[in-house]
Every structure is written in C-alpha cells, then in structure tokens.
Amino acid sequence: MILTENQNNKRSNATGHWAWNLAVGFSIFFLIYLPAKDVWQGESGGDYYTLATLLPAGVYYTLAVTFLGSACAILVGLLVALGKMSKRPLVQTLASFYTEILRGVPLLVLLFYIYYALGEFLKIPALFSAVLGFGFCYGAYMADVFRAGVESIPVEQKEAARSLGMTERRALRQIILPQAMRTILPAVSNQTLGMLKDTSLVSVLAISDILRVGNEYATKHFNYFETYTYVALMYLALTLLMSRVTLYVETRLKTRQEWR
C-alpha cells in the first residue's frame, strides 16, 4: 500500500505522539514507584524516598538556569544576528568574530572562566555566572538561527513595508521578526532542550542542581546505581515535559498566524 505524503505525515505524528506518551509514562511511573516501594518496605537511609525529597531543590536551580539562560541566549542571539546582517562591515566582522570565538570554546571551560578566572577580579555569583555562560555560548548558536529565519522572509515583504513608509527598524520589528518567529521557534526550542540537559555542568560551580544534589547523596550513601538512575529519570521527565510545552507554543503560534 502506497501512502500519500499527508498520510505518511499523520502516521509519523501519531507514532511520535505514542512514543512520547510511553516515555513520559515510563519515567513518571518509576519516579513514583521507586520511592513508594521504599516506604512500603520500611527502608531508611540511602533509599529512593529520601532522594526524592531532596531533588525538588535541584529541580528549581536546573529550571532557573534553563529559563534564565535561554532568555539571555535569545537576547544575545538576536543582537548578534542583527550585527551579522548589518550593512556596516565593522559590525558584521565583530558579530562574526563573536560567534567564531564562542563556538570554539567548550561550555564547561567558559563556565570555569567566568566564575573562577574572572572571579579573581569580579565577585560574580555562581547562578549569575551560569546564566552568563549559557547565554553567551548558546547565543552564538542562536545567532545563525535568527539570521536564517530573517533571511527566509521574501524580499518582497521588506520592499512592501518600505513602500508603506516604514523605517527599516520598524519593518523588522513589526513585519519581519513576527513572521520569522514561525521558522525560528522549532530551532530555538531544540536549543532550549539541549540547554536543559547541559545544565548538569553547573554542578561544577557549586550550584545545587539535580546532578549536584544526587552526587552528594550518592557519595554519602555509596548507592551510585540507584541515585544516578533516579537522576536520569528526573532529567528525562523534565525534558519530555518541556518538549511538549514548546510544541504547544509552536502550534499556538502557528494557528494564530494562520488566522491573520
């Protein structure tokens, strides 16, 4: 049986939807079942239940770094993208120089540099250092995402805006960027999901994220297998739930633009 492209897309979406449901169900089931099992069996000291009561604080810092880092990266990415599309050669060169430098430095090294190396001159709080590190690093990647999105808008749109008497800046803000967001959003969502997983690196800055809380717990109780299994389940659940939130935002934005 030969399926049309539309039927094939529907089947692919349905398969992906069921796979997501299965993965969410798997992670949430074990996140609840493992601590509950320890309660039923009356275990104490180094059990899943105790770990489950400690991790919410780690989730708070993980999500804080993700959302603040994403906001910083989007701002940096947009400014650098505008710089790369500037008509001024000096601005173009500086923006390209920024992306080349930041892409060549590993994120972990950048975090160390901001917190420890610059810490010799400036007292930068650990959370702020993490946000800056993620913002600068991911901003270099998002710059090309924004640039590609803006350049995907037909030139006729820009010419029409100019013919209506709009300045270049106003046309960009009111005509080009809103349309480009539809193209940009999936890529930005993927970057945010990647950032959520990379937040495990902030444990080196003494930030009590999920991994650091789990690491301290495993070191204290010598139960590495159980701890890192539960930590992995926690990251899996957060990533899956965030992927669905970003998909919902994409769908809402797409629907709103189609109605216009």
Side-chain angles (χ1 to χ4, degrees):
M1 182 174 62
I2 299 176
L3 297 177
T4 64
E5 183 178 355
N6 190 33
Q7 289 173 324
N8 197 30
N9 288 338
K10 285 184 177 179
R11 175 174 289 187
S12 177
N13 290 337
T15 304
H17 181 70
W18 278 107
W20 181 86
N21 286 335
L22 188 63
V24 169
F26 170 82
S27 58
I28 291 180
F29 172 77
F30 281 103
L31 283 173
I32 296 174
Y33 169 73
L34 293 175
K37 180 175 67 67
D38 288 339
V39 173
W40 297 334
Q41 295 177 352
E43 295 183 4
S44 61
D47 53 12
Y48 286 113
Y49 178 77
T50 307
L51 179 60
T53 60
L54 297 175
L55 282 183
V59 172
Y60 168 77
Y61 282 106
T62 295
L63 293 180
V65 173
T66 301
F67 288 124
L68 294 176
S70 295
C72 185
I74 288 172
L75 179 62
V76 171
L78 179 59
L79 292 176
V80 174
L82 294 177
K84 296 181 83 168
M85 293 184 292
S86 172
K87 296 176 181 176
R88 298 177 181 176
L90 178 60
V91 177
Q92 272 189 5
T93 303
L94 290 176
S96 299
F97 179 74
Y98 174 86
T99 55
E100 295 298 331
I101 292 293
L102 268 295
R103 283 180 175 183
V105 178
L107 177 57
L108 184 59
V109 175
L110 186 62
L111 293 175
F112 275 128
Y113 190 83
I114 293 175
Y115 186 64
Y116 292 108
L118 294 183
E120 294 185 7
F121 310 100
L122 300 170
K123 189 64 177 177
I124 306 175
L127 181 60
F128 190 53
S129 299
V131 172
L132 288 180
F134 277 90
F136 289 147
C137 182
Y138 274 84
Y141 292 98
M142 287 194 184
D144 280 338
V145 173
F146 279 104
R147 183 177 59 81
V150 170
E151 290 180 348
S152 69
I153 305 302
V155 179
E156 289 78 9
Q157 297 271 347
K158 303 173 186 175
E159 293 174 347
R162 296 301 300 273
S163 67
L164 293 174
M166 290 185 175
T167 63
E168 191 171 347
R169 184 175 299 179
R170 185 182 174 190
L172 179 69
R173 188 177 67 252
Q174 296 186 352
I175 304 294
I176 306 301
L177 279 181
Q179 295 185 72
M181 280 302 296
R182 181 176 175 180
T183 308
I184 291 170
L185 198 55
V188 172
S189 300
N190 287 332
Q191 294 281 343
T192 304
L193 290 175
M195 191 181 295
L196 173 60
K197 290 183 286 186
D198 283 347
T199 54
S200 58
L201 296 175
V202 302
S203 61
V204 299
L205 304 185
I207 295 176
S208 297
D209 71 318
I210 294 175
L211 182 60
R212 185 174 181 83
V213 171
N215 195 35
E216 290 176 349
Y217 187 79
T219 304
K220 181 179 179 181
H221 297 282
F222 302 102
N223 55 355
Y224 297 98
F225 177 80
E226 294 84 354
T227 299
Y228 292 121
T229 298
Y230 203 77
V231 166
L233 288 169
M234 186 65 77
Y235 275 111
L236 175 62
L238 289 177
T239 305
L240 289 168
L241 293 175
M242 183 170 285
S243 70
R244 191 45 53 119
V245 171
T246 55
L247 180 61
Y248 174 77
V249 174
E250 290 172 22
T251 305
R252 291 281 297 178
L253 185 62
K254 183 179 178 181
T255 305
R256 182 177 296 181
Q257 288 182 343
E258 287 175 349
W259 274 96
R260 287 181 176 178

